Amino acid sequence: MNGRRVAVWRRHRRVFLIKQTLSHEETSMNAQQEGGLAPWQIAIGACLALIVGNGPIMQFTFGVLIIPLSEAMGTDRGTVSTALLVGLVTTGVATPWIGRLMDRHGVRRVGSFCILAFALLTAACGWFSHSVATLILLYFFAGLFAAGQTPLAYSKAITAAFDRQRGLALGVAAAGVGIGTMLMPMVAQWLLSHFGWRGAYVGLGALTALIALPALTLMVVPGGKNRTGSQASRTDAAGAASAPGWTARQARSSGVFWMMAGAFFLVALAVSGTIAHIVPLLVDRNVSPQAAAAAISTAGLSLLVGRVFAGWMLDRYPAPYVAILFFCLPLAGQALLLLNHSQHAGLVAAVLIGLGLGAEIDLIAFMQSRYFGHKAFGEIYGYFFAIFMFASGFGPFLMGQTFHISGSYEPFLLVSMVGLGIACLLMVALRRAPERVVPAHVT
């Protein structure tokens, strides 16, 4: 009798679990039909929002504004540049913290607040900057909230919505950074010529709010017809909490995490340093300033292409193999700079290096989602992005110091080529680890 009752109970439980699963799937489909948007609209919304991301707005417009800033404040360009350094370092430090908040409270709530705060603080640089100290302080706070307007929020949303075409979707989203890198300096120059540097900051802040906020709340993480913003945020956060994957502590204690971190650091260090100094490097070799400027423009275009192409490849080939390919491209570009001093070689090298830099953001988000899952995506991505930011800032400084000490860029190129080779070896070792995430036991 007891055995028969157990069998009946198991059969009823199996039917209940099947009905519960079907009900959950039906609810998810209804939610998509009522308030959700198609996955590709999420990727397109992310692309639009990242056109006014932290890089295009804070970093790549600074070169346009640095001369009027130094003249208005009566100081040199190096002192004014301290503001940008402080802002970028603050962004790197704050990204893991913002990622943890997004894991707990959702992308919509935290991202919306960060976008609005970043936009207001950018505008405040024009309203309230009367000294270098004030400018640095405003960049500090802007960098803090800029962490929420990095690819972090959008990569988190995309990895939750895509599986089979995740790589391409990440590439489409990251292309927004490339578009913004090309457009925002021109926008800043137009604003500067019509409204001065104060008006330029106000205009850049307004553009950030007007473009990124609707893109996030209407396309990337929409609230839906029958859900309030707070309900959407709770659903967003609950989805991340119940998703399979590792916690941030488990990820940090794994060898896979540190192999990926080491590879991303070495590549960002080598590529960012070379890109930052490729114009003076070519000018020192008697290449005309116009041709050298064309090289950096070509690198920017290849960065945009590299992000989409890397995403397309990640959906078709094992991620470590794709990483090795895109790590070898800048390695070949640096070798070309060492062996050939012609203008044509400089252009080709810039393309190869730009392709490598463009692919890295895609690789970080894709590989993290495959190896560590989505449970603590925001915090883990924050660690990787912070490493990427630190290396991106340290690379140009190290290459500049190398030239200051030795009078040549070649020692840096040689050392960074070794670093890129080590990054490739780390990817070879990583290939042995399972790419599909397996939920770890909670400790």
Side-chain angles (χ1 to χ4, degrees):
M1 286 292 293
N2 289 337
R4 184 178 300 174
R5 289 178 179 175
V6 169
V8 171
W9 178 83
R10 286 178 177 174
R11 184 165 59 252
H12 282 294
R13 177 172 173 78
R14 190 180 303 116
V15 172
F16 170 76
L17 290 175
I18 292 173
K19 288 182 177 180
Q20 189 179 42
T21 301
L22 292 174
S23 175
H24 176 71
E25 291 178 354
E26 184 179 357
T27 302
S28 299
M29 291 177 65
N30 290 337
Q32 274 196 333
Q33 291 172 355
E34 291 178 4
L37 291 170
W40 282 108
Q41 289 178 288
I42 297 174
I44 294 170
C47 178
L48 291 173
L50 286 172
I51 291 174
V52 288
N54 76 305
I57 293 296
M58 177 182 283
Q59 183 175 1
F60 292 103
T61 62
F62 194 80
V64 175
L65 301 170
I66 188 171
I67 294 178
L69 280 172
S70 60
E71 291 176 349
M73 297 180 183
T75 187
D76 62 279
R77 300 174 191 179
T79 303
V80 171
S81 298
T82 306
L84 178 61
L85 176 62
V86 168
L88 293 178
V89 170
T90 305
T91 300
V93 172
T95 306
W97 177 64
I98 295 294
R100 183 183 299 177
L101 288 176
M102 287 184 176
D103 289 335
R104 292 180 179 178
H105 304 291
V107 171
R108 181 187 177 90
R109 178 183 297 176
V110 179
S112 300
F113 180 79
C114 286
I115 289 170
L116 188 57
F118 176 55
L120 289 173
L121 286 162
T122 300
C125 290
W127 286 330
F128 302 115
S129 293
H130 299 289
S131 66
V132 174
T134 307
L135 184 69
I136 292 173
L137 183 64
L138 288 169
Y139 262 80
F140 171 83
F141 286 110
L144 180 66
F145 292 103
Q149 184 51 4
T150 64
L152 161 65
Y154 308 103
S155 298
K156 180 175 171 62
I158 287 172
T159 55
F162 285 86
D163 182 50
R164 188 172 59 87
Q165 294 181 304
R166 181 178 295 175
L168 182 58
L170 288 168
V172 170
V177 180
I179 296 171
T181 300
M182 291 187 290
L183 291 181
M184 287 302 111
M186 292 187 288
V187 171
Q189 183 61 55
W190 184 88
L191 290 169
L192 177 66
S193 62
H194 286 77
F195 306 103
W197 65 269
R198 294 187 184 276
Y201 273 115
V202 173
L204 291 172
L207 278 175
T208 301
L210 291 174
I211 295 175
L213 204 55
L216 176 71
T217 57
L218 299 179
M219 299 182 71
V220 179
V221 193
K225 294 179 182 178
N226 300 320
R227 294 189 297 171
T228 64
S230 61
Q231 288 173 330
S233 296
R234 287 195 296 270
T235 303
D236 179 23
S242 61
W246 293 23
T247 65
R249 178 181 296 180
Q250 291 163 343
R252 291 195 305 267
S253 64
S254 70
V256 171
F257 176 90
W258 293 107
M259 283 191 289
M260 290 171 61
F264 295 146
F265 179 85
L266 291 170
V267 174
L269 187 77
V271 173
S272 64
T274 308
I275 285 291
H277 288 268
I278 195 167
V279 171
L281 182 150
L282 294 175
V283 170
D284 290 343
R285 296 177 176 183
N286 298 320
V287 175
S288 68
Q290 294 77 13
I296 196 69
S297 299
T298 306
L301 181 61
S302 62
L303 184 150
L304 175 61
V305 174
R307 288 183 171 173
V308 178
F309 183 54
W312 179 84
M313 291 192 68
L314 284 169
D315 291 327
R316 289 160 175 79
Y317 305 101
Y321 293 161
V322 178
I324 291 170
L325 170 63
F326 281 94
F327 292 173
C328 286
L329 291 176
L331 193 154
Q334 291 184 328
L336 192 59
L337 289 174
L338 283 172
L339 300 174
N340 193 322
H341 291 191
S342 68
Q343 174 182 333
H344 178 72
L347 287 171
V348 175
V351 170
L352 294 172
I353 294 168
L355 287 171
L357 180 62
E360 190 164 10
I361 294 294
D362 290 4
L363 288 166
I364 290 174
F366 185 91
M367 294 181 72
Q368 177 199 327
S369 68
R370 291 304 192 204
Y371 285 97
F372 301 117
H374 205 257
K375 180 182 289 294
F377 184 94
E379 185 175 353
I380 299 171
Y381 185 94
Y383 293 131
F384 285 132
F385 193 78
I387 290 167
F388 174 81
M389 290 290 290
F390 291 145
S392 297
F394 189 55
F397 170 79
L398 188 60
M399 190 166 183
Q401 290 298 109
T402 301
F403 183 83
H404 176 73
I405 295 171
S406 66
S408 171
Y409 289 115
E410 292 188 359
F412 177 88
L413 293 174
L414 287 170
V415 172
S416 60
M417 286 175 64
V418 174
L420 288 168
I422 294 173
C424 290
L425 293 177
L426 289 172
M427 288 295 110
V428 171
L430 193 63
R431 182 65 185 97
R432 300 175 182 177
E435 185 171 324
R436 287 286 177 179
V437 63
V438 176
H441 296 290
V442 179
T443 57

